[in-house]
Amino acid sequence: ACIARSPQTARFHLWRAALNAADTNAISAVIADLSSATACDPDDDGPFAQLGRVYLDAGDALHALANLRTAHKINPANAVALELLPQVLTLAGNEAAKTEDLAEALRLVEELISLQPSLDNRMWRVRLLVARERNTQAKQELRNILYANPDYSPAKDLLDKIR
């Protein structure tokens, strides 16, 4: 009851967003309230992370990415941002690659690798480098992959193709 009397606070907007979150038809109200909460307290990583999750659930990877990046910048240990950023970066990277914006896809994949340096992500980066005709960098990355994983045949095969 006390929170409802102070409608211009981040706490109020978070409270109202939590109430509306149960109603799947109220997603725009939840986004509006979480956006207001971030405006009221731009140094709090929590509302940015929540907003990123809501945008992701709504299928809006670009807005999710922006808010999760902000949450991560404010608090690099934010669990929601750490959990969802790799997923959102993968979605955004795939979208950029589909639209043939290879420079943006490469940038997103490099950010993804900083959070999740898996072999699949590193090979994705290599394929983007090759697509952008940056074969010298691609070869070096393949050599780095093979140094740590000498039996990794996808890297061996790709290195043979671009020699």
Side-chain angles (χ1 to χ4, degrees):
C2 185
I3 293 174
R5 292 189 194 134
S6 44
Q8 297 309 315
T9 65
R11 197 171 187 188
F12 168 78
H13 293 291
L14 290 171
W15 170 74
R16 195 164 66 184
L19 289 176
N20 287 327
D23 182 359
T24 57
N25 294 322
I27 193 91
S28 59
V30 173
I31 288 172
D33 281 323
L34 289 173
S35 295
S36 295
T38 63
C40 288
D41 191 357
D43 295 325
D44 185 357
D45 58 301
F48 285 103
Q50 286 179 297
L51 188 55
R53 181 186 297 276
V54 170
Y55 273 123
L56 178 61
D57 291 343
D60 188 341
L62 293 179
H63 281 102
L65 181 58
N67 284 283
L68 291 167
R69 279 179 173 157
T70 302
H72 185 66
K73 182 178 178 185
I74 294 168
N75 177 7
N78 181 291
V80 172
L82 288 173
E83 173 193 348
L84 296 180
L85 264 172
Q87 179 182 353
V88 174
L89 285 164
T90 300
L91 290 170
N94 283 330
E95 279 303 309
K98 282 181 193 172
T99 62
E100 297 186 18
D101 187 351
L102 298 180
E104 176 66 5
L106 182 59
R107 193 180 62 70
L108 291 165
V109 169
E110 287 175 346
E111 186 178 347
L112 173 61
I113 290 170
S114 73
L115 295 168
Q116 203 173 61
S118 69
L119 281 174
D120 287 341
N121 292 339
R122 292 177 69 194
M123 287 298 292
W124 186 11
R125 177 179 182 268
V126 168
R127 287 188 297 276
L128 286 169
L129 288 169
V130 169
R132 294 198 65 219
E133 298 179 5
R134 291 167 60 183
N135 289 349
T136 304
Q137 281 182 286
K139 287 178 195 176
Q140 185 57 50
E141 180 65 17
L142 287 167
R143 286 185 198 106
N144 292 343
I145 290 169
L146 289 169
Y147 181 77
N149 306 281
D151 296 326
Y152 190 60
S153 60
K156 284 181 184 178
D157 296 344
L158 188 54
L159 186 58
D160 288 341
K161 285 181 186 176
I162 60 175
R163 280 191 178 169

